[in-house]
């Protein structure tokens, strides 16, 4: 149901198509909440059945018709109730398959682990660059939303995403250095 709350929150700013929602997801909350277009459309259909959103078909000249979704009063009420009801545990919790594999990496060749950590470092660097670019997107998008206080909170979540990526980069760099030293030690000992 969390995806539904993300959709309701985004629709509380303005009406959108499913495709527009995906674009906004990718340029706003993607640093902490990801959704595929197919998930968004499935959730919109469920939410419409529940009376949380309503759609209106807009005809387009020379293009297929599009469905524009709006938040209903019931959807707004449900969203605000959820927003004000924080869970008992707030600290970041997650299951990370990459870290689980690293935990057990003692059963792998060091070169393979090093290779995977270098891949991880590149992915995190790309993600960090994307998050940093989102600052300009937030600046631009905030002009269209008539709620200036929202920009403050949007940037707050983005700042955490940036900090987490920077921390992940430092961790990966340290891990890579230790593995490279381990390999150098093996080579020096004639174990390669």
């Amino acid at each position: 149901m969390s995806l539904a709350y993300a959709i309701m929150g985004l629709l509380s700013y303005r009406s959108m198509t499913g495709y527009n929602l995906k674009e906004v997801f990718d340029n706003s909350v993607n640093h902490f909440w990801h959704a595929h277009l197919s998930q968004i459309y499935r959730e919109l259909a469920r939410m419409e059945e529940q009376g949380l959103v309503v759609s209106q078909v807009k005809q387009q000249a020379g293009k297929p018709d599009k469905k524009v979704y709006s938040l209903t009063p019931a959807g707004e009420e449900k969203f605000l109730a959820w927003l004000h009801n924080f869970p008992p545990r707030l600290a970041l919790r997650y299951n990370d398959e990459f870290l689980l594999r690293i935990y057990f990496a003692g059963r792998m060749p060091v070169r393979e682990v090093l290779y995977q950590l270098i891949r991880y470092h590149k992915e995190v660097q790309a993600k960090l660059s994307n998050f940093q670019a989102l600052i300009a997107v937030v600046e631009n998008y905030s002009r269209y939303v008539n709620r200036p206080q929202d920009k403050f909170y949007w940037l707050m979540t983005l700042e955490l995403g940036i900090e987490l990526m920077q921390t992940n980069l430092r961790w990966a760099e340290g891990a890579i250095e230790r593995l490279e030293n381990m390999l150098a030690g093996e080579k020096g000992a004639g174990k390669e």
Side-chain angles (χ1 to χ4, degrees):
M1 189 65 171
S2 295
L3 176 58
Y5 292 117
I7 291 171
M8 285 186 270
L10 294 174
L11 288 176
S12 74
Y13 295 119
R14 66 181 172 93
S15 299
M16 291 183 253
T17 64
Y19 183 79
N20 296 141
L21 274 165
K22 174 62 173 148
E23 287 180 324
V24 173
F25 258 93
D26 290 348
N27 291 301
S28 63
V29 299
N30 194 38
H31 56 286
F32 61 90
W33 199 271
H34 176 75
H36 294 285
L37 186 59
S38 59
Q39 292 173 302
I40 291 170
Y41 279 117
R42 273 194 309 272
E43 196 62 42
L44 283 168
R46 251 181 268 158
M47 293 167 65
E48 192 164 25
E49 287 173 9
Q50 296 169 357
L52 303 173
V53 298
V54 63
S55 66
Q56 181 180 10
V57 176
K58 298 259 180 165
Q59 295 181 343
Q60 303 183 100
K63 295 181 185 177
D65 295 345
K66 63 181 180 179
K67 253 184 171 179
V68 178
Y69 293 88
S70 301
L71 195 59
T72 64
E76 175 81 12
E77 184 179 323
K78 186 168 182 120
F79 171 70
L80 290 174
W82 168 83
L83 186 61
H84 291 279
N85 187 21
F86 279 80
R89 288 187 61 196
L90 297 174
L92 188 62
R93 295 181 300 174
Y94 61 98
N95 294 331
D96 188 314
E97 187 175 341
F98 174 70
L99 284 181
L100 187 60
R101 289 173 191 270
I102 295 300
Y103 185 85
F104 294 112
R107 302 177 109 186
M108 297 174 61
V110 174
R111 284 195 186 284
E112 175 65 20
V113 180
L114 177 60
Y115 171 77
Q116 298 303 333
L117 277 161
I118 291 170
R119 279 186 55 219
Y120 174 81
H121 185 273
K122 287 177 183 175
E123 286 181 26
V124 171
Q125 182 62 58
K127 207 169 199 179
L128 174 61
S129 296
N130 178 264
F131 290 176
Q132 290 167 331
L134 283 177
I135 293 172
V137 173
V138 167
E139 292 289 339
N140 185 43
Y141 189 72
S142 66
R143 294 182 198 147
Y144 300 105
V145 178
N146 195 19
R147 298 171 50 96
Q149 71 274 18
D150 288 338
K151 177 182 162 186
F152 172 81
Y153 295 107
W154 296 345
L155 287 173
M156 190 183 296
T157 63
L158 189 52
E159 288 164 2
L160 177 60
I162 289 169
E163 290 286 331
L164 289 172
M165 290 304 105
Q166 289 171 336
T167 298
N168 286 338
L169 279 179
R170 284 190 300 274
W171 171 81
E173 288 162 1
I176 288 167
E177 182 180 341
R178 289 193 304 274
L179 288 172
E180 287 173 340
N181 290 339
M182 190 184 296
L183 278 175
E186 286 179 5
K187 188 175 185 179
K191 292 185 180 177
E192 188 163 10

